[in-house]
Amino acid sequence: MTATETIIHGKWVIPVEPHDVVYENYAVVIKDGKIIETIDSAKALQKYTGQNHIHKSKHAILPGFINCHCHSPMSLLRGYADDLALMDWLQHYIWPAEKKWVSESFVFDGSCLAIAEMLRSGVTCFNDMYFFPHITAKAAVQTGMRSVIGLPIITFANPWASDEDDCFAKNVEIFNAFQQEPLLTFTMAPHSIYATSEAGIMRVAEFADQHNLPIHMHVHETDDEVQQSLQTTKQRPLARLHKMNITSSRLLAVHMTQVNEADHEIIAASGSHIIHCPSSNLKLASGFCPAQRFVQAGVNVAFGTDGAASNNNLDMLEELQLASILAKAVANEPTAIDAAQTLRMATYNGAQALGLGEMTGSLEVGKAADIIAIDLEQLESQPVYHPVSQIVYTASREQVTDVWVNGKHLLADRQLTTLDEHELIAKAKQWGDKIS
Amino acid sequence: MTATETIIHGKWVIPVEPHDVVYENYAVVIKDGKIIETIDSAKALQKYTGQNHIHKSKHAILPGFINCHCHSPMSLLRGYADDLALMDWLQHYIWPAEKKWVSESFVFDGSCLAIAEMLRSGVTCFNDMYFFPHITAKAAVQTGMRSVIGLPIITFANPWASDEDDCFAKNVEIFNAFQQEPLLTFTMAPHSIYATSEAGIMRVAEFADQHNLPIHMHVHETDDEVQQSLQTTKQRPLARLHKMNITSSRLLAVHMTQVNEADHEIIAASGSHIIHCPSSNLKLASGFCPAQRFVQAGVNVAFGTDGAASNNNLDMLEELQLASILAKAVANEPTAIDAAQTLRMATYNGAQALGLGEMTGSLEVGKAADIIAIDLEQLESQPVYHPVSQIVYTASREQVTDVWVNGKHLLADRQLTTLDEHELIAKAKQWGDKIS
């Protein structure tokens, strides 16, 4: 027995896979960043004498949440403009602010703020889409966060790139530059059918095929998007993507609030993943994603927070709860997306969607030690009849006490270990003062 | 100048009335439990030398939230049974558990747990409905919480009363016994049109008229309720209440997820109040209350958490956020129920609904010092462009650091002053162990 194991003991261990199982007084053994065993606590104490035992006696230990859609640097525009119609919001507030302020330093500071916030709500992996993606990548690498970096393709000129060609050239460079980073992978991220050309999307798909990358794209976020496409092409966006062979198990269709029968069939038959962002969809009045219907059809549905400019936080625990209760009302079925299913969607399904199913998303032996501890003894979660119910329906982010990513303890008793909380706040304030 | 003033300084003071106003570096002066002045911080320091100055330099100071619908003792059944169809949930889980376990001690311990939870999410006044209402009243009085105690009238036998006559007799006694409590008022609480007889409702209405009490009632919570009434009487519940002259500015119509044109007109014309409980409505798949439509018609809409068995928490901050974003999606209008309007509904409108409009609900001179402080410097709320947006869309309960009810400091730096947190948790665990 070498002296390098760390054993995390919990009142409960919830592995997610196998599904809907809770082990009491259990432990997860990690070594070299990987899970090597889940075991009864008493046995672990006997077997691993002299090792690093961490006791979380009030806590549930579970896989970290996977935030499948974020624009992390937009944390600096959190609350900059709210309660506005979408195009008013974009045209008169968000786009002008981005044009004026988005830069490498904005992206770095915003990404760090977002990573801190995500860690503090139990996120161990995020899938991003924003300008200067190499800077978000750098922030993720520096902080030890697992990240999936979207390489954006956008038609219009922006502070990072002048057009699709420029995006593409920069993306290839970034893709090559980060190949050695163990915690970082990429998606190709054509923004949407209205902000990326069909030629651009085809080019992205080719690159994605060559390099086995997911395609991360806003699809049917709003009725306007669908109507605009119908007017110009007589086809719905998803139907166009389907004709272009973009719909497949590579596609992360983000939002999908507008779904007719044909759309539903395309998604189900193609194996495309749905990234459901309930807070953002409600706040922007985009519509209601029929999450339960997709789940019943066997579609892999995972969750995203979207950016902080339209949510306005990156709190995955809040997103879990909302997704679960909203699904019941939308399906008119109180049994829809139960607590265990919700937890699975926020972890296991997220990993599947991002092509990381072998790597993370559950507490299985051989997977990375992407683990969180949630304190269920706080009075807001008492009494505990069913730990998974309490996590989904009662817990709030302050109950996430500890987070490990790839075995590294990034949040320890609510303290960030690789980011300076006071510095993050000071920088956010500076940006706020400048921008406001 | 006597030495009895307390001056609470905030980075921001948000009085709610006048509407949508934020004062920076401001203070609220309280004396003998009442607000006597709101004033610039620097001036307050000059004017009130030697007094008790409390500095909340990172905080917004605002009126406490008013939870207009709760079954507080049900906190002990939080998470006992989830993800079930309503009648399965009630008939096979909640009612049997209530029959077996509800007693004076259950109600006292559950009420104390609920009051603690509510204080920790910024609630300074709650409107309750449950068996043994005098015990919830006792818990509220002992802890210094402002309470509005519903006096229930229910047809079926329950652990507290055998029938409506028994309910009524007990309620009259309770009503008389608590007349001298300054922080306690009553509502008459006929459960619903299906669990209270028409004769019982009429009797309640008479008592309410005599004593100037609101009537607190579940109305159109589900489509089943409406269909059942149509089958047995050929009338919708609200139409029946209208014919009985129950609809008026006395009526708190809780839920109202099922609303046709006639219903809408009855509510708007009668001056009835809507108590909107979005989390519970979604979780039980009851439906969507058209909150924005009511607001636009000039109806007074306020919020409730409902009980913890169907929410599953009593977190008013979460309810504010959900109510606001859900209203936008339901109305298909991203400008619906903006942040300032949401905050007003959670405070001022709640007080109006409960007949406490002169007493609480805003930081106006002469009103009770029911005040909360929310830390907006936490990184999840940074940067701060608009404090009210950050409260509604980003803040979570752990940012509520301080709560005063009638000038008494009931939560001080997250510590409860009149309740023992460890004892509450220990008792909740004991109940959980017994019941599970």
Side-chain angles (χ1 to χ4, degrees), chain A residues 423-435:
Chain A
E423 194 186 317
L424 290 171
I425 292 168
K427 285 202 171 158
K429 281 184 168 183
Q430 283 169 19
W431 281 107
D433 290 345
K434 271 199 280 193
I435 294 170

Side-chain angles (χ1 to χ4, degrees), chain A residues 150-205:
Chain A
L151 297 171
I153 315 285
I154 297 183
T155 310
F156 54 81
N158 59 65
W160 169 61
S162 54
D163 58 17
E164 289 184 358
D165 282 346
D166 193 20
C167 288
F168 204 85
K170 285 176 165 144
N171 283 336
V172 171
E173 201 175 310
I174 294 167
F175 178 76
N176 290 324
F178 285 85
Q179 283 305 311
Q180 302 310 314
E181 288 301 337
L183 302 189
L184 188 152
T185 54
F186 289 101
T187 67
M188 294 310 287
H191 180 278
S192 59
I193 201 113
Y194 58 91
T196 311
S197 72
E198 291 202 0
I201 295 171
M202 292 303 294
R203 194 170 172 191
V204 158

Side-chain angles (χ1 to χ4, degrees), chain B residues 142-164:
Chain B
Q142 281 190 14
T143 55
M145 183 66 147
R146 188 179 302 281
S147 66
V148 181
I149 300 296
L151 299 171
I153 314 285
I154 298 183
T155 309
F156 54 82
N158 60 64
W160 169 61
S162 54
D163 57 17
E164 289 185 356

Side-chain angles (χ1 to χ4, degrees), chain A residues 84-96 194 222 224-225 228 284, chain B residues 334:
Chain A
L84 297 165
L86 183 68
M87 290 321 288
D88 186 17
W89 179 67
L90 285 173
Q91 292 176 348
H92 300 127
Y93 296 88
I94 296 301
W95 290 343
Y194 58 91
T222 63
D224 274 357
E225 173 190 333
Q228 198 187 341
L284 295 174

Side-chain angles (χ1 to χ4, degrees), chain B residues 164 193 196-203 233 235 240-241 244:
Chain B
E164 289 185 356
I193 201 115
T196 312
S197 71
E198 291 202 0
I201 295 171
M202 292 303 293
R203 195 170 171 191
T233 68
Q235 288 184 301
R240 288 165 64 192
L241 294 174
M244 292 157 70

Side-chain angles (χ1 to χ4, degrees), chain A residues 8-313:
Chain A
I8 305 166
H9 297 260
K11 167 96 172 154
W12 301 277
V13 168
I14 303 165
V16 172
E17 177 58 42
H19 182 58
D20 202 9
V21 165
V22 177
Y23 301 112
E24 219 173 318
N25 299 315
Y26 228 66
V28 183
V29 184
I30 64 184
K31 187 178 175 181
D32 298 330
K34 295 219 176 306
I35 296 167
I36 61 164
E37 189 171 18
T38 54
I39 180 175
D40 181 89
S41 253
K43 286 186 190 153
L45 287 167
Q46 289 175 343
K47 182 168 174 183
Y48 298 96
T49 50
Q51 309 304 314
N52 178 26
H53 289 267
I54 298 174
H55 294 275
K56 294 282 158 187
S57 59
K58 307 171 177 178
H59 298 66
I61 309 297
L62 57 154
F65 303 130
I66 298 184
N67 183 0
C68 287
H69 182 60
C70 192
H71 309 287
S72 60
M74 295 186 89
S75 60
L76 293 175
L77 296 174
R78 181 204 313 280
Y80 174 65
D82 290 315
D83 305 315
L84 297 165
L86 183 68
M87 290 321 288
D88 186 17
W89 179 67
L90 285 173
Q91 292 176 348
H92 300 127
Y93 296 88
I94 296 301
W95 290 343
E98 286 187 332
K99 191 173 171 189
K100 185 159 183 196
W101 295 110
V102 171
S103 63
E104 294 202 354
S105 63
F106 176 98
V107 168
F108 188 77
D109 293 343
S111 297
C112 287
L113 181 64
I115 289 168
E117 183 182 357
M118 286 192 271
L119 285 170
R120 282 163 50 107
S121 87
V123 174
T124 53
C125 175
F126 73 109
N127 178 31
D128 217 61
M129 182 199 284
Y130 206 65
F131 310 118
F132 301 97
H134 56 299
I135 303 296
T136 299
K138 184 177 139 191
V141 169
Q142 282 190 13
T143 55
M145 183 65 147
R146 188 179 302 281
S147 66
V148 181
I149 300 296
L151 297 171
I153 315 285
I154 297 183
T155 310
F156 54 81
N158 59 65
W160 169 61
S162 54
D163 58 17
E164 289 184 358
D165 282 346
D166 193 20
C167 288
F168 204 85
K170 285 176 165 144
N171 283 336
V172 171
E173 201 175 310
I174 294 167
F175 178 76
N176 290 324
F178 285 85
Q179 283 305 311
Q180 302 310 314
E181 288 301 337
L183 302 189
L184 188 152
T185 54
F186 289 101
T187 67
M188 294 310 287
H191 180 278
S192 59
I193 201 113
Y194 58 91
T196 311
S197 72
E198 291 202 0
I201 295 171
M202 292 303 294
R203 194 170 172 191
V204 158
E206 202 179 316
F207 193 87
D209 271 344
Q210 277 167 15
H211 298 280
N212 196 21
L213 301 178
I215 299 173
H216 173 200
M217 187 169 183
H218 300 99
V219 185
H220 291 204
E221 179 171 4
T222 63
D223 183 52
D224 274 357
E225 173 190 333
V226 176
Q227 296 309 322
Q228 198 187 341
S229 175
L230 283 169
Q231 275 175 16
T232 53
T233 68
K234 296 192 178 162
Q235 288 183 300
R236 293 166 73 84
L238 188 68
R240 290 165 62 194
L241 294 174
H242 190 54
K243 279 206 179 155
M244 294 157 68
N245 281 318
I246 304 297
T247 52
S248 78
S249 61
R250 264 192 215 308
L251 179 64
L252 313 182
V254 181
H255 298 306
M256 282 302 293
T257 70
Q258 312 295 318
V259 185
N260 69 13
E261 284 301 317
D263 298 330
H264 182 79
E265 274 168 37
I266 290 173
I267 292 288
S270 65
S272 302
H273 308 270
I274 298 292
I275 309 303
H276 177 31
C277 305
S279 290
S280 176
N281 294 161
L282 295 184
K283 183 156 184 289
L284 295 174
S286 302
F288 299 92
C289 172
Q292 165 72 352
R293 198 177 163 210
F294 281 127
V295 168
Q296 283 182 321
V299 175
N300 186 58
V301 181
F303 303 136
T305 58
D306 210 343
S310 67
N311 180 312
N312 291 353
N313 56 39

Side-chain angles (χ1 to χ4, degrees), chain B residues 63 173 183 239 273 285 288 296 355 424:
Chain B
E173 201 175 309
L183 302 190
H273 308 270
F288 300 92
Q296 283 181 321
L424 290 171

Side-chain angles (χ1 to χ4, degrees), chain A residues 76 83 389 393 397 399, chain B residues 76 82-83 385 393 397 399:
Chain A
L76 293 175
D83 305 315
S389 263
Y393 298 126
R397 61 190 176 207
Q399 291 169 257
Chain B
L76 292 176
D82 290 315
D83 305 315
Y385 294 101
Y393 297 126
R397 62 190 176 205
Q399 290 169 257

